[in-house]
Amino acid sequence: MDKRGRPPRDDGEVKNKQYRLRLSDSEESILDELSTEYGMPKAEILRRGLRMQHNLLRHTG
């Protein structure tokens, strides 16, 4: 039987969690702009924002 689905990542980190996010038109515009400017997928922009907020909390909280 053939394997199906996305192949595993090289770093071994499994991404099987999903989160649905509602955005306003202005928030979507900002996300589009950042994605274009940095040449990254929108999901990666959101992940980086999440990590930035976590780092901020750890270093100031």
Side-chain angles (χ1 to χ4, degrees):
M1 180 181 231
D2 293 329
K3 290 185 177 183
R4 295 177 186 241
R6 186 176 296 273
R9 292 174 48 102
D10 291 337
D11 62 7
E13 187 174 0
V14 176
K15 291 187 173 150
N16 58 2
K17 306 293 182 199
Q18 293 185 12
Y19 194 86
R20 183 175 172 159
L21 180 66
R22 292 173 32 161
L23 300 174
S24 68
D25 289 341
S26 62
E27 292 166 335
E28 182 183 28
S29 177
I30 292 169
L31 186 56
D32 287 339
E33 180 183 342
L34 291 171
S35 178
T36 301
E37 181 68 27
Y38 290 109
M40 296 183 337
K42 293 175 185 178
E44 186 57 31
I45 298 289
L46 294 171
R47 285 186 198 105
R48 283 187 172 203
L50 183 66
R51 286 191 295 268
M52 287 174 63
Q53 287 296 315
H54 183 249
N55 288 336
L56 185 62
L57 179 64
R58 277 194 299 160
H59 292 99
T60 61

